[in-house]
């Protein structure tokens, strides 16, 4: 046993002195995480597409239709902290695999709740299902562990592009999965959660088997070696202050974009249903939305690395404003304008998430990175939960137009915050 451990340690240590092996592991990590993200994207799409509709059907009111989104985003908050700390202690492989499998178990619980018509079980299962959402987001960090500063946003973008395949397929399989569910005696709206269960569990298995050696472990060893040998510049008060600013602005950008995106996205299926649109049409709009959340990532990552985190954060605020205005002003029967509005909503979120994530990675060290990232993702999840919960109440008491317009105006807060932080 000792000999095996010695061999494993020597193998890990060999990455420290070999830039070629580091580069190869970086590419392999991106490949493995990308595969898991395809499954993860399909898993998260279920809750986005039909979560609100299941609650509306069970509760018989729109006022609480945002609760499912609030619950699985709230569940993702606790899971983000759990997965982050688990990753810090045992590595990305263990943390991410555990999170995805928990998400799959939550999806199974939602299916059972729909069969039993149990609201309590539905809400409890949605909390657990949120683990998949949190893990899907945290997986983006795994690709950055061995990336240089000029590669970090691009590394995030590669994994997010791969999420697109599953995330777009998920909503467009709503009708098919609904028929499959009905054929086995399960309510049609629970069909997408069957897909989510399988997808999340497969994502966890892929990471557990293939993510070796662990990129975060290697990054820690490289950082420790550089520090011991004087290759790493000692931290000073100025750099620590800059890191705190970086964490503050990165977190703010991601939190604000999450609130706006979740609030408008959550109520769009309910708004469409009220105006005579069918489930397949809802799937198309949400499919375009999720596609815009992830598909532009490769270009976004390059832009963030080339023109800077600040410029792309400002672009995020402007894009979200346009999305909110268009969603508010679009005629309720116009599929084309709804598709454009929700696509802009996804694009603005994409700009914010990638620029914010790159800023967070820039401002953390491998020794504490996963823990800090997990903690900040809690804020993002809580922001999403707030947006989801409040969106139903705003729409029930006002209108979808008021909700969309409010979200768009809120996104503009990003611009003065980002400028103010970097002027300090």
């Amino acid at each position: 046993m000792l000999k095996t451990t010695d061999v494993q340690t020597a193998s890990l240590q060999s990455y420290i002195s070999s830039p070629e092996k580091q580069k190869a592991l970086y590419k392999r990590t991106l490949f493995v995480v990308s595969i898991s993200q395809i499954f993860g994207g399909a898993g998260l799409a279920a809750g986005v597409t039909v979560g609100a509709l299941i609650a509306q059907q069970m509760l018989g009111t729109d006022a609480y239709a945002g609760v499912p989104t609030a619950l699985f985003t709230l569940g993702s908050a606790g899971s983000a902290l759990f997965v982050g700390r688990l990753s810090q202690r045992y590595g990305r492989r263990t943390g991410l695999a555990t999170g995805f499998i928990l998400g799959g178990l939550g999806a199974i619980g939602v299916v059972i709740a729909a069969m039993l018509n149990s609201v309590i079980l539905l809400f409890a299962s949605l909390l657990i299902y949120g683990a998949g959402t949190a893990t899907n987001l945290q997986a983006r960090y795994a690709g950055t562990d061995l990336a240089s500063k000029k590669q970090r946003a691009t590394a995030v973008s590669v994994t997010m592009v791969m999420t697109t395949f599953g995330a777009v397929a998920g909503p467009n399989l709503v009708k098919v999965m609904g028929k499959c569910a009905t054929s086995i005696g399960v309510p049609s709206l629970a069909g997408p959660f069957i897909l989510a269960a399988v997808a999340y569990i497969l994502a966890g298995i892929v990471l557990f088997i293939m993510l070796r050696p662990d990129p975060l472990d290697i990054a820690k060893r490289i950082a420790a070696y550089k520090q011991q040998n004087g290759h790493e510049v000692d931290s000073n008060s100025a750099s620590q202050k800059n890191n705190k600013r970086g964490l503050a602005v990165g977190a703010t950008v991601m939190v604000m974009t999450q609130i706006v995106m979740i609030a408008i996205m959550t109520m769009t299926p309910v708004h469409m249903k009220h105006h005579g649109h069918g489930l397949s049409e809802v799937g198309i709009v949400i499919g375009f939305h999720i596609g815009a959340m992830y598909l532009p990532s490769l270009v976004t990552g390059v832009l963030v690395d080339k023109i800077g985190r600040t410029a792309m954060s400002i672009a995020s605020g402007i894009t979200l404003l346009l999305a909110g205005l268009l969603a508010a002003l679009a005629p309720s029967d116009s599929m084309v304008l709804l598709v454009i509005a929700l696509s802009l909503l996804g694009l603005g979120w994409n700009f914010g998430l990638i620029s914010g994530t790159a800023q967070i990675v820039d401002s953390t060290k491998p020794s504490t990175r996963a823990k800090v990232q997990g903690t900040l993702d809690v804020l993002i999840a809580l922001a999403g939960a707030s947006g989801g919960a409040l969106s139903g109440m705003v729409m029930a008491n006002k209108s979808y137009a008021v909700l969309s317009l409010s979200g768009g105006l809120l996104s503009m807060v990003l611009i003065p915050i980002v400028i103010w932080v970097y002027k300090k």
Side-chain angles (χ1 to χ4, degrees):
M1 185 67 180
L2 183 60
K3 290 182 179 179
T4 302
T5 303
D6 289 342
V7 170
Q8 290 174 341
T9 301
S11 177
L12 292 175
Q13 288 294 120
S14 68
Y15 284 91
I16 293 174
S17 57
S18 174
E20 292 78 15
K21 292 190 73 172
Q22 292 173 25
K23 186 176 180 181
L25 181 58
Y26 165 64
K27 290 181 178 179
R28 174 179 165 76
T29 299
L30 279 182
F31 175 73
V32 173
V33 172
S34 295
I35 293 174
S36 75
Q37 290 295 83
I38 295 174
F39 294 120
L44 70 86
V48 170
T49 309
V50 298
L53 298 178
I54 287 180
Q56 183 194 45
Q57 186 179 78
M58 284 190 175
L59 298 170
T61 176
D62 290 346
Y64 302 104
V67 171
T69 302
L71 284 172
F72 72 70
T73 49
L74 188 61
S76 73
S79 300
L81 190 62
F82 172 69
V83 172
R85 299 199 172 204
L86 199 63
S87 297
Q88 189 69 58
R89 185 167 183 178
Y90 299 106
R92 298 285 188 193
R93 172 175 163 261
T94 300
L96 297 177
T98 302
F100 271 130
I101 291 171
L102 282 174
L105 295 175
I108 292 171
V110 172
V111 174
I112 296 171
M115 293 173 67
L116 299 176
N117 198 33
S118 171
V119 174
I120 294 175
L121 180 58
L122 172 68
F123 288 172
S125 298
L126 283 167
L127 280 169
I128 301 170
Y129 169 79
T133 307
T135 308
N136 198 70
L137 269 178
Q138 284 212 21
R140 74 194 189 279
Y141 289 121
T144 67
D145 286 329
L146 295 171
S148 67
K149 187 172 182 178
K150 293 182 179 180
Q151 294 176 315
R152 286 167 182 165
T154 304
V156 173
S157 69
V158 169
T159 58
M160 288 183 66
V161 165
M162 299 308 292
T163 307
T164 309
F165 294 102
V168 173
N172 288 291
L173 289 173
V174 164
K175 196 168 184 179
V176 174
M177 291 306 300
K179 289 180 179 178
C180 289
T182 304
S183 69
I184 59 174
V186 175
S188 62
L189 286 178
F193 282 95
I194 297 175
L195 174 64
V198 174
Y200 275 157
I201 291 171
L202 282 175
I205 291 171
V206 165
L207 288 167
F208 189 75
I209 294 174
M210 298 179 67
L211 198 62
R212 303 167 185 263
D214 193 283
L216 184 58
D217 188 17
I218 298 298
K220 286 180 185 177
R221 290 170 184 267
I222 292 171
Y225 174 80
K226 286 181 177 179
Q227 192 169 25
Q228 288 171 5
N229 289 273
H231 296 307
E232 192 171 62
V233 178
D234 292 332
S235 60
N236 51 51
S237 58
S239 64
Q240 288 177 352
K241 188 176 180 181
N242 288 334
N243 284 347
K244 288 181 180 178
R245 287 180 185 173
L247 290 173
V249 73
T252 301
V253 168
M254 290 192 289
V255 164
M256 296 296 289
T257 54
Q258 188 78 352
I259 290 174
V260 175
M261 188 275 289
I262 289 286
I264 298 175
M265 175 200 70
T266 298
M267 285 299 108
T268 298
V270 178
H271 168 70
M272 292 180 68
K273 189 177 179 182
H274 281 169
H275 292 88
H277 295 286
L279 203 56
S280 60
E281 291 173 305
V282 171
I284 290 171
V285 171
I286 296 300
F288 271 97
H289 166 66
I290 296 180
M293 286 171 66
Y294 295 101
L295 193 56
S297 295
L298 200 55
V299 174
T300 304
V302 173
L303 289 174
V304 171
D305 281 334
K306 294 289 184 184
I307 68 175
R309 281 61 162 146
T310 304
M312 292 305 293
S313 295
I314 292 172
S316 171
I318 294 171
T319 306
L320 289 172
L321 173 64
L322 293 175
L325 288 173
L326 187 55
L329 299 175
S332 57
D333 61 346
S334 175
M335 275 284 291
V336 173
L337 290 180
L338 278 175
V339 164
I340 295 172
L342 269 289
S343 296
L344 285 172
L345 185 70
L347 183 63
W349 178 87
N350 177 273
F351 289 168
L353 186 75
I354 294 181
S355 59
T357 298
Q359 190 65 60
I360 296 301
V361 178
D362 291 346
S363 306
T364 54
K365 295 181 179 180
S367 57
T368 58
R369 182 170 294 160
K371 184 178 178 181
V372 172
Q373 289 164 345
T375 302
L376 291 176
D377 274 3
V378 171
L379 296 178
I380 298 171
L382 290 175
S386 301
L390 294 174
S391 63
M393 297 178 187
V394 172
M395 185 165 160
N397 291 288
K398 295 294 182 179
S399 67
Y400 178 75
V402 170
L403 172 68
S404 300
L405 187 58
S406 300
L409 293 174
L410 181 62
S411 68
M412 291 303 291
V413 176
L414 282 177
I415 296 175
I417 287 176
V418 170
I419 294 173
W420 176 76
V421 167
Y422 280 102
K423 278 187 176 181
K424 294 293 283 181

